[in-house]
Amino acid sequence: MLLRFKMVEAALNHTAVEVEAPSTRPSDYFGVKVFGRNVMRKYLDKPTYDALLNTMDNGTPLSLELADSVAAGMRQWALDNGADHYTHWFQPLTGGTAEKHDSFSDPDGKGLVIESFSGKVLAQQEPDASSFPNGGIRNTFEARGYSAWDPTSPAFIVDTTLCIPTVFIAYTGEALDYKVPLLRSISAVDKAATEVCHYFDKNVNRVYTYLGWEQEYFLVDESLWAARPDLVLTGRTLMGHESAKNQQLEDHYFGAIPARVINFMKELEYESLKLGIPVKTRHNEAAPGQFELAPVYEEANLANDHNQLLMTIMDKIARRHRFRVLLHEKPFKGINGSGKHNNWSLGTDTGVNLFGPGKTPSENLQFITFLVNVIAAVHRHNGLLKAAIMSATNIHRLGSNEAPPAIISTFLGSQISSVLDKLERSTSDDAIRFDAKSVLKMSGISQIPSILLDNTDRNRTSPFAFTGNRFEFRAVGSSDNCAEAIITLCAATAEQLTEFKHEVDAKIERGMKKDKAIYESLKRMIRECKSIHFDGNGYSEEWKQEAARRGLDCETSAPLIFDRYLDDKSIKMFGDTGVYSRVEVEARTEVKWETYTKKIQIEARVLGDITMNNIIPVASKYESVLLDKAYKMKELGLNYESDIELIRDIQGHTSAIQRLVGEMIEARKVANRIEDQREKAIKYHDTVAIYLDQIRDHIDKMEEVIDDQLWPLPKYRELLFIR
Ligand code: ADP
Ligand code: MG
């Protein structure tokens, strides 16, 4: 039997895997695998516990002595919970997480082993930086890298390994991961936002960054997946004719979840909750085989660790259920791809959400101040924000009528838009009045809370939408590390808030009343950043033209989009906020180009292999069957024209494919000779990637006419529907 049919049969035999129903309520097992505050109190003595809390909450350095005590408590807890190894768990620029497990046991030199785990080992390790993407930092300096404990994200146990969240830096101090710049950007926005908050409330000491991600993914049966080398090696199907039925009936979104999938979700949620990931929502997504999982939002550093961890455990649990998880942004042509909406907000230690409209005019001015500053930041760095979410994989999703085009704009909704319009149009005399307590009164503004709170407009076509009390960055890709988007957002916002503060302070120094000074600056900003505001249909053709007229970044070539990282204004912004040094920006951009090239190179190789090894031979086989038939028909004096037509059709495709594959290989050879990573990526984009769709078109057309019994690869209609 044809391999494909064997796999389809195997898939049909995969039934729902029983999952152990948790015997207790989520509140009983939530976080049981986390070295959280409750556990710390039990396993650490009081001075150590207090010191560690101080480090976690206020960033106070921990002495090596105290680190030793923490390590001892952590080790005991880990051993009590069945762990026998530990690892520094970090997020290199590969996009995944990295871990190297060491045993807790050490020979004691007298023929016995002892369990050892010191504060030094907890705090720092030395992985080889040259084995991870580093953008050339290792060439100029040393290959050594350090991973160092991030006490603000708690350690946790996966299987029998204690995982310690760490940052990863070069010997010379440059960041080689996502966590370092994320922490820096969170601290930059904290500092800048806290100062601006002081215009409104002197009691604010700290501003937190919050992130709530929504993870979209596909599930595919493991047997069918294994019979598709393109899925196995690139994460997406490089060929495959559309299924007659896919998502056009809109019957999958929020539909009933199949038993096999529900069991997978249940186990995933159980494991997530034990690891302290506050998962909350699950549902079918728009495409068949597509689903979503979302937790409750958390402080951004922790939320991002949780997303990274989730992506890892998803994969493990899916295998148990004979599925594979596809996190690729566009695994199937013609149906929706997967994103990862990043819901982002800033909140004070006094419990105020800075993106939430308040109850009093002063709170509302604070809200409008933060809103307008974010819009101004996004306006100034729209090209860079696009670069932050761009990749060889996410580019497929953006602009294919399911996600916004590769243009960043902000959606504000009718209420906020009219408030900003009013603010902008009003002259200072008629709109601004101060009452006895010098509280600002603006017509229109005081109505915001009642109108807004029950009316959050939705516009799913916007890449960056204000949704009532947060911004939703929807352009982020499903496989992305959220940090990249959040780093850029926080850094750009920090820069903007700092500038705003300088400007307003200068006006106040010149004798202007504070509220009036704020109001005047906001008016100017609203006027200047108008072009970023777009509430219309982001999927439309007209928007692309309109955006170009407005001067927004409309570049669609990923390697050129990465250039935005190296713009003077980007380097300055990252430098001023302390998020990246120039060397770091350059190194990371280098990694982006290199990764882009490698991904296209792998896709081109895989497509070439499958085409020549699987598709062309099958086409030839079918052609010879048809030729044989035509001969016999001719002998019998029957009409064989239609058979000849079919043969011509197939022959046309196979010869075109062979020519195109040859050309693609030549194009690769030329591109591979280029040393410069940027030039090479551009060459790959312009001269290699273009063949992928051309070749695919011919294959997909042949799939329609060649005998189903011969077709070597599982088809879309088999891959997409989980039974
Ligand atoms: P959608 O309607 O877009 O599917 P949901 O209502 O399911 O979104 O929420 C999406 C995510 O937004 C969740 O993770 C939720 O916790 C998060 N979220 C809600 N409020 C905030 C906020 N103020 N800041 C950050 N994230 C938030
Ligand atoms: Mg959403």
Side-chain angles (χ1 to χ4, degrees):
M1 196 177 19
L2 193 65
L3 177 70
R4 170 172 150 239
F5 291 124
K6 271 201 197 124
M7 293 313 173
V8 171
E9 193 176 26
L12 286 172
N13 284 331
H14 290 155
T15 50
V17 173
E18 283 314 312
V19 291
E20 205 186 318
S23 53
T24 48
R25 282 180 305 204
S27 54
D28 296 324
Y29 55 82
F30 181 75
V32 292
K33 294 195 165 182
V34 180
F35 192 63
R37 294 188 183 211
N38 283 345
V39 187
M40 285 175 193
R41 208 175 353 231
K42 237 172 89 185
Y43 281 86
L44 303 178
D45 59 41
K46 178 101 173 64
T48 309
Y49 174 74
D50 289 343
L52 182 56
L53 238 52
N54 202 11
T55 303
M56 288 162 62
D57 295 339
N58 309 314
T60 318
L62 202 66
S63 70
L64 197 56
E65 222 168 277
L66 282 167
D68 271 332
S69 306
V70 175
M74 208 186 265
R75 187 200 62 201
Q76 196 50 52
W77 169 75
L79 293 173
D80 287 353
N81 284 277
D84 46 24
H85 282 67
Y86 64 89
T87 182
H88 273 197
W89 181 82
F90 56 98
Q91 302 168 28
L93 300 178
T94 52
T97 53
E99 47 198 82
K100 169 180 139 271
H101 299 191
D102 283 308
S103 166
F104 278 122
S105 314
D106 268 336
D108 70 350
K110 300 180 188 113
L112 296 171
V113 287
I114 49 160
E115 258 79 54
S116 73
F117 180 62
S118 65
K120 194 158 172 283
V121 168
L122 161 68
Q124 193 172 311
Q125 302 256 294
E126 276 187 39
D128 178 5
S130 63
S131 311
F132 294 98
N134 51 52
I137 282 179
R138 79 183 151 117
N139 294 336
T140 28
F141 307 104
E142 277 216 46
R144 247 185 308 168
Y146 288 122
S147 57
W149 179 35
D150 165 20
T152 59
S153 183
F156 53 89
I157 297 174
V158 174
D159 298 328
T160 59
T161 302
L162 170 71
C163 302
I164 302 150
T166 58
V167 297
F168 182 40
I169 53 177
Y171 175 66
T172 39
E174 285 88 4
L176 293 176
D177 70 348
Y178 290 101
K179 199 186 249 297
V180 169
L182 179 62
L183 291 171
R184 288 177 187 159
S185 73
I186 288 171
S187 131
V189 83
D190 166 21
K191 190 163 164 284
T194 301
E195 291 203 355
V196 171
C197 281
H198 288 165
Y199 286 139
F200 310 97
D201 182 357
K202 291 270 182 238
N203 296 317
V204 172
N205 289 312
R206 199 150 166 202
V207 170
Y208 297 98
T209 300
Y210 295 105
L211 166 64
W213 41 264
E214 303 164 55
Q215 179 73 53
E216 293 181 340
Y217 61 95
F218 278 86
L219 287 177
V220 177
D221 183 90
E222 183 175 65
S223 300
L224 297 169
W225 171 86
R228 293 276 322 207
D230 47 356
L231 271 183
V232 174
L233 297 175
T234 74
R236 73 170 176 122
T237 54
L238 296 172
M239 61 195 72
H241 190 269
E242 227 181 298
S243 164
K245 173 184 185 291
N246 47 50
Q247 65 187 48
Q248 61 276 62
L249 295 178
E250 293 167 347
D251 52 352
H252 192 253
Y253 192 60
F254 284 13
I257 304 173
R260 265 186 85 190
V261 177
I262 258 288
N263 285 8
F264 157 77
M265 287 176 166
K266 278 185 185 159
E267 187 171 350
L268 176 59
E269 284 162 15
Y270 182 48
E271 291 305 321
S272 299
L273 288 167
K274 284 197 286 188
L275 284 163
I277 309 174
V279 292
K280 188 171 171 68
T281 313
R282 61 175 175 220
H283 61 77
N284 284 4
E285 259 304 323
Q290 192 187 25
F291 307 91
E292 180 183 302
L293 177 80
V296 176
Y297 69 93
E298 300 175 283
E299 188 277 311
N301 175 40
L302 183 61
N304 191 46
D305 281 358
H306 280 165
N307 181 245
Q308 288 292 307
L309 180 56
L310 177 98
M311 293 199 284
T312 318
I313 60 171
M314 252 178 144
D315 183 62
K316 278 192 201 159
I317 294 171
R319 289 168 195 235
R320 232 176 67 74
H321 292 258
R322 316 303 295 267
F323 285 130
R324 287 303 163 119
V325 171
L326 307 181
L327 292 173
H328 193 288
E329 283 77 4
K330 192 78 177 174
F332 303 100
K333 193 181 167 184
I335 57 171
N336 278 19
S338 302
K340 177 151 56 198
H341 297 174
N342 278 206
N343 294 271
W344 170 74
S345 67
L346 300 176
T348 66
D349 58 346
T350 55
V352 174
N353 175 359
L354 295 169
F355 299 159
K359 291 185 194 70
T360 63
S362 162
E363 279 174 356
N364 273 329
L365 185 59
Q366 173 170 291
F367 159 62
I368 296 289
T369 296
F370 278 92
L371 184 88
V372 172
N373 271 284
V374 170
I375 298 169
V378 173
H379 175 246
R380 184 186 305 183
H381 294 292
N382 73 87
L384 177 66
L385 277 163
K386 183 163 76 181
I389 53 96
M390 192 45 62
S391 65
T393 52
N394 202 18
I395 190 81
H396 290 290
R397 175 179 152 258
L398 299 173
S400 33
N401 248 6
E402 56 174 60
I407 300 167
I408 300 294
S409 62
T410 60
F411 167 87
L412 298 175
S414 53
Q415 308 290 343
I416 297 285
S417 302
S418 78
V419 169
L420 296 191
D421 282 349
K422 225 179 250 178
L423 232 171
E424 187 204 343
R425 276 199 313 271
S426 57
T427 66
S428 28
D429 295 334
D430 71 30
I432 198 166
R433 286 190 303 276
F434 298 93
D435 67 11
K437 279 188 261 148
S438 193
V439 170
L440 175 80
K441 283 218 172 91
M442 264 181 287
S443 48
I445 301 289
S446 60
Q447 298 157 16
I448 298 172
S450 54
I451 314 168
L452 254 187
L453 289 181
D454 51 29
N455 189 352
T456 55
D457 282 10
R458 288 297 182 141
N459 177 336
R460 306 219 168 251
T461 70
S462 174
F464 191 76
F466 180 69
T467 51
N469 62 359
R470 61 191 188 265
F471 282 94
E472 191 170 345
F473 199 3
R474 297 210 184 96
V476 183
S478 49
S479 68
D480 279 342
N481 184 314
C482 305
E484 194 75 359
I486 300 297
I487 290 163
T488 313
L489 267 179
C490 286
T493 303
E495 176 197 49
Q496 176 58 47
L497 287 169
T498 306
E499 267 189 41
F500 174 80
K501 177 88 173 34
H502 282 310
E503 187 179 307
V504 171
D505 281 354
K507 285 183 192 156
I508 295 172
E509 254 169 52
R510 289 199 302 270
M512 198 184 274
K513 281 225 162 63
K514 179 187 78 188
D515 288 345
K516 187 171 159 61
I518 292 173
Y519 167 79
E520 299 255 295
S521 293
L522 292 181
K523 265 182 69 161
R524 178 190 56 74
M525 287 155 69
I526 294 171
R527 214 168 25 245
E528 284 175 7
C529 61
K530 258 204 167 126
S531 59
I532 197 76
H533 176 197
F534 178 64
D535 279 7
N537 179 7
Y539 295 177
S540 68
E541 227 5 80
E542 299 85 76
W543 168 233
K544 283 191 202 161
Q545 288 154 22
E546 164 76 15
R549 271 196 299 278
R550 291 186 187 191
L552 297 178
D553 192 307
C554 297
E555 181 58 60
T556 57
S557 155
L560 293 178
I561 289 170
F562 298 148
D563 283 352
R564 298 287 71 77
Y565 271 98
L566 300 177
D567 287 347
D568 287 344
K569 65 176 175 183
S570 305
I571 303 261
K572 179 171 186 326
M573 183 271 280
F574 283 130
D576 287 353
T577 52
V579 170
Y580 289 131
S581 66
R582 176 183 279 277
V583 173
E584 286 172 322
V585 178
E586 285 171 353
R588 298 172 89 92
T589 316
E590 198 78 358
V591 171
K592 282 178 191 283
W593 282 314
E594 203 176 327
T595 308
Y596 177 87
T597 299
K598 286 180 181 164
K599 291 226 161 139
I600 302 294
Q601 184 179 48
I602 293 170
E603 288 190 350
R605 284 179 179 164
V606 172
L607 183 62
D609 288 353
I610 300 180
T611 307
M612 301 313 291
N613 298 332
N614 302 65
I615 307 295
I616 297 286
V618 163
S620 307
K621 223 181 255 177
Y622 189 47
E623 275 180 303
S624 70
V625 171
L626 290 171
L627 276 168
D628 191 46
K629 179 186 168 200
Y631 258 116
K632 289 173 179 160
M633 299 281 277
K634 191 180 174 194
E635 256 163 50
L636 292 172
L638 297 172
N639 186 339
Y640 56 93
E641 259 320 297
S642 56
D643 296 297
I644 295 293
E645 225 165 82
L646 192 49
I647 293 166
R648 280 214 185 90
D649 182 26
I650 296 172
Q651 191 53 34
H653 291 307
T654 54
S655 57
I657 288 174
Q658 278 162 293
R659 175 177 55 81
L660 290 168
V661 169
E663 286 174 22
M664 182 170 73
I665 292 170
E666 283 313 308
R668 246 167 37 225
K669 281 187 190 155
V670 174
N672 288 345
R673 281 196 286 270
I674 302 174
E675 286 287 326
D676 182 80
Q677 291 297 349
R678 176 176 179 273
E679 292 305 317
K680 193 170 182 168
I682 293 172
K683 199 79 172 167
Y684 258 89
H685 174 273
D686 294 349
T687 68
V688 178
I690 49 166
Y691 285 106
L692 298 171
D693 272 345
Q694 290 182 38
I695 295 170
R696 169 188 193 135
D697 281 347
H698 288 289
I699 300 176
D700 291 356
K701 291 213 176 81
M702 285 205 295
E703 188 189 315
E704 275 190 297
V705 295
I706 285 183
D707 182 2
D708 188 55
Q709 305 288 321
L710 292 177
W711 197 254
L713 303 173
K715 296 185 168 181
Y716 270 25
R717 61 166 191 256
E718 292 151 352
L719 288 166
L720 282 172
F721 297 92
I722 293 163
R723 277 157 284 247

